[in-house]
Amino acid sequence: MERTLLQILDKLEKMETNMVTKQELSEIKAELEKVKDNMATKQELQEVKDHMATKPDFMLIQQAVLETNEIVKKLESKIDTHEQLLTLLSHRSLEHEAAISSIRFIPPSLRLQKI
């Protein structure tokens, strides 16, 4: 009988060391409330699910992005070509302006006479 009482006491001591104090329990409850406050409700999860893009939607978006990227590359190429052309035309315009300016300074006696 004494042995049984010692076993019971030993088990009670083990239980006591593993028990939670009121302080610890209130801390756990407070932490649980924080978790609850940050959790999404079923309705919120459903709303997110309803607004998510489906795989076909994603594939269409991906295709549109690829097409847009291709168009942008073509436009960049055309812009480069146009910039080169504008530079060439600008140089020609300056040459013509210089030629016209030099013609203005030719004395009237050296200019071609109208027939």
Side-chain angles (χ1 to χ4, degrees), residues 12-68:
L12 282 173
E13 284 177 9
K14 286 181 183 177
M15 286 175 57
E16 187 177 8
T17 57
N18 290 329
M19 285 178 55
V20 179
T21 64
K22 287 183 180 181
Q23 170 84 20
E24 292 170 328
L25 187 58
S26 67
E27 290 172 2
I28 291 171
K29 284 182 180 179
E31 191 66 29
L32 184 59
E33 285 301 318
K34 287 181 187 176
V35 170
K36 278 184 179 179
D37 291 342
N38 290 326
M39 284 177 56
T41 64
K42 287 181 182 179
Q43 181 180 353
E44 291 169 331
L45 288 175
Q46 187 60 43
E47 288 173 7
V48 169
K49 197 174 181 181
D50 292 343
H51 290 91
M52 282 177 39
T54 61
K55 193 170 185 175
D57 293 338
F58 178 75
M59 298 300 282
L60 288 172
I61 292 168
Q62 187 178 22
Q63 182 64 32
V65 168
L66 291 173
E67 289 172 3
T68 303

Side-chain angles (χ1 to χ4, degrees), residues 79-94:
I79 287 172
D80 289 342
T81 304
H82 287 176
E83 285 179 355
Q84 291 171 354
L85 182 60
L86 285 174
T87 301
L88 178 65
L89 290 173
S90 175
H91 286 245
R92 284 188 183 168
S93 175
L94 289 172

